[in-house]
């Protein structure tokens, strides 16, 4: 895989449809499973529900032909940082395009609750920071964060998350925000999404697509 994932021509040709299909598969999985999600579910439970639903979609007889080119890796450790065995990091979602050079679209999920353990700092320091430290998506120019909202509205959480980013940029600079966050619409079923761009300590930039999913009791 190697350097091809950093080649601008390759990235421009393959990545936009890859990004959209990863979003579409995630949206399908969430739609199929949201009735099962309860407000007190743990992160691993929610991720498991969505992963199961996506896998069911991928093997369904009426699945679109483009799905044949995709696979979802579950509990798949990523190499790097000298970690081995159970110490390796495990992203929540890895969508693989099964044609050479077999790139991966990696998403990490974190709960968002009013308790201090699961607020904005947890989302960034235990989630997004893994991309900045190149524990995740080392070879790639973009990745995604998913917020499992277990209270309040998406507007409230988006405001809190963006305020945290701006505060960090003005005072701490731990998240190395490069450009102000901006809203995007990658797939119609995901109504509110935004992007933040960061510079990694190695000098490589990465764009993070932020997706919030309502995980309150349905």
């Amino acid at each position: 895989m190697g350097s091809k994932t950093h080649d601008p021509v390759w990235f421009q040709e393959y990545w936009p449809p890859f990004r959209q299909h990863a979003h579409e598969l995630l949206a399908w999985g969430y739609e199929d499973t949201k009735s099962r999600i309860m407000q007190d579910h743990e992160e691993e439970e929610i991720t498991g529900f969505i992963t199961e639903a996506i896998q069911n979609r991928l093997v369904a007889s009426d699945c679109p032909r483009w799905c044949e080119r995709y696979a979802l890796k579950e509990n798949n450790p990523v190499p790097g940082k000298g970690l081995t065995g159970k110490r390796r990091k495990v992203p929540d979602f890895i969508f693989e395009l099964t044609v050479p050079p077999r790139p991966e679209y990696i998403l990490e999920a974190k709960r968002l609750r009013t308790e201090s353990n699961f607020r904005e700092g947890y989302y960034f320091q235990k989630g997004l920071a893994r991309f900045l430290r190149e524990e995740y998506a080392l070879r790639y120019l973009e990745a995604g964060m998913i917020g499992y909202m277990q209270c309040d509205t998406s507007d409230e959480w988006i405001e809190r998350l963006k305020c945290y980013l701006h505060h960090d940029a003005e005072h701490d600079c731990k998240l190395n925000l490069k450009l102000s966050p901006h809203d995007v619409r990658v797939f119609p079923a995901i109504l509110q999404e935004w992007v933040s761009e960061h510079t990694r300590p190695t000098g490589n930039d990465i764009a993070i697509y932020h997706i919030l999913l309502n995980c309150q009791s349905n």
Side-chain angles (χ1 to χ4, degrees), residues 113-147:
R113 298 174 61 91
T114 52
E115 292 93 331
S116 60
N117 288 346
F118 299 104
R119 287 182 65 85
E120 304 91 286
Y122 175 77
Y123 176 91
F124 286 110
Q125 301 303 332
K126 299 296 184 179
L128 185 144
R130 291 177 175 174
F131 293 106
L132 303 188
R133 294 193 297 265
E134 297 187 338
E135 295 171 2
Y136 295 165
L138 170 65
R139 304 180 181 93
Y140 305 112
L141 303 177
E142 74 175 62
M145 282 292 302
I146 305 171

Side-chain angles (χ1 to χ4, degrees), residues 6-51:
H6 284 114
D7 180 73
V9 175
W10 182 93
F11 192 88
Q12 184 175 4
E13 180 180 356
Y14 284 89
W15 210 264
F18 187 16
R19 176 194 304 131
Q20 180 170 335
H21 287 153
H23 278 68
E24 189 166 356
L25 289 168
L26 177 67
W28 289 352
Y30 171 70
E31 182 63 28
D32 291 349
T33 198
K34 64 182 181 182
S35 62
R36 300 176 63 186
I37 299 173
M38 297 297 165
Q39 197 165 10
D40 59 348
H41 276 142
E42 299 290 338
E43 173 194 315
E44 293 80 8
E45 293 176 289
I46 300 171
T47 298
F49 292 153
I50 296 174
T51 297

Side-chain angles (χ1 to χ4, degrees), residues 123-176:
Y123 176 91
F124 286 110
Q125 301 303 332
K126 299 296 184 179
L128 185 144
R130 291 177 175 174
F131 293 106
L132 303 188
R133 294 193 297 265
E134 297 187 338
E135 295 171 2
Y136 295 165
L138 170 65
R139 304 180 181 93
Y140 305 112
L141 303 177
E142 74 175 62
M145 282 292 302
I146 305 171
Y148 293 151
M149 298 183 299
Q150 295 184 306
C151 67
D152 300 333
T153 67
S154 56
D155 287 336
E156 290 172 314
W157 279 113
I158 289 173
E159 181 178 0
R160 291 168 187 162
L161 294 170
K162 289 183 177 180
C163 284
Y164 187 97
L165 266 182
H166 286 303
H167 183 274
D168 178 86
E170 293 176 1
H171 301 282
D172 301 322
C173 297
K174 293 181 179 179
L175 300 174
N176 296 326

